[in-house]
Amino acid sequence: MSKYDLGFLLPSGHFQVQISKDLYWVPVNTIGSPQHSIQEIRDISMCTPQEKKEYISTLYDALQLFVTSNFHELLDVVVIAENNIEWEHHKPGYYAILTNCGCCSSDAAWLRYLLFDKYQEVGYISFSRPNGSGHVFNYILTEGWYYLYDLCPLTDRYINNVLIESGKMADFLKAKYVTGALLKCRQLESFALFYKRLQLRGGFDHLFFKHRSPEVGPISAINKGGITTILMPENAGITPLLTPNTETIQSKFVSHPQSIPDWESRSEKFQ
């Protein structure tokens, strides 16, 4: 094993496997080689969030740090009712690193906090389902390509199912989580189309969104008459991908909630 590898990433070498139209699986080193050995990463894992941000400059090293830190999967959303809307609030990136635990939105915020100024653009891509649930992970824009990666499969709960960067289509197809690969595309809609087709086989409809906000914004889901409406704050850099509505689910942008959680006090019990 390389001093730069925990066993699932490819420190050097390249491959490009076409998954769908304008969608390719590539190794993480494509957008930056490792800068720190595993031992150095272990040392960095003991640092403060601000120090980690200074040391980590590539997605590769960020993933190594995430796994070495043994990030704990935990439902940590905070629900606050405001104007008859139950808003689901998500932990900011700084506190995701500080507490070393959280759900998918915390994973994504963790990564953006470390890398947002290391690439042209680092944001979020999310999808919502008719039952009101959803998922969010990251995109990185650099040199005309969007690169998508989901940290959730690297949490302590799912790490045993990690996708090894073999470059073999057979390994990708049998992966438990297809978002656990670094996928690249020219347009985010290309991934949305691929994932939509994948889920429609099971009868699941989805809405997809691009987020350019610093943190994962609050969200609410209301079901009425068999139609689920996803509420999100307006003027928050959120853009629907493909379509804002389907037959079973629709999106609506409303005023941003005024109440926000006290993340500092909530984080103290994890320190």
Side-chain angles (χ1 to χ4, degrees), residues 9-67:
L9 295 178
L10 185 67
S12 60
H14 300 277
F15 61 80
Q16 180 167 288
V17 178
Q18 184 163 12
I19 304 301
S20 183
K21 183 178 179 180
D22 184 38
L23 189 66
Y24 306 87
W25 173 28
V26 295
V28 169
N29 72 52
T30 301
I31 54 174
S33 301
Q35 304 299 303
H36 300 283
S37 69
I38 295 302
Q39 185 53 56
E40 290 171 337
I41 290 292
R42 291 193 176 102
D43 293 339
I44 294 171
S45 70
M46 306 302 294
C47 294
T48 67
Q50 298 96 324
E51 291 170 334
K52 290 176 181 176
K53 178 175 170 52
E54 292 178 6
Y55 286 123
I56 300 300
S57 59
T58 66
L59 175 63
Y60 192 108
D61 283 339
L63 302 189
Q64 300 274 65
L65 178 63
F66 190 81
V67 173

Side-chain angles (χ1 to χ4, degrees), residues 71-74 76 91 95-96 99-103 106-107 270:
F71 192 94
H72 177 55
E73 174 79 8
L74 178 72
D76 59 346
K91 186 188 293 179
Y95 294 104
T99 60
N100 199 42
C101 64
C103 62
S106 297
D107 302 344
F270 295 100

Side-chain angles (χ1 to χ4, degrees), residues 120-165:
Q120 179 182 342
E121 186 178 313
V122 181
Y124 311 104
I125 182 170
S126 71
F127 56 77
S128 295
R129 308 180 183 94
N131 65 2
S133 66
H135 189 54
V136 60
F137 51 104
N138 296 96
Y139 74 77
I140 295 173
L141 176 62
T142 182
E143 298 183 350
W145 290 93
Y146 285 97
Y147 294 85
L148 295 85
Y149 200 92
D150 186 357
L151 285 183
C152 194
L154 300 185
T155 60
D156 59 352
R157 182 177 180 181
Y158 303 111
I159 188 64
N160 289 334
N161 296 303
V162 66
L163 173 61
I164 306 297
E165 289 193 327

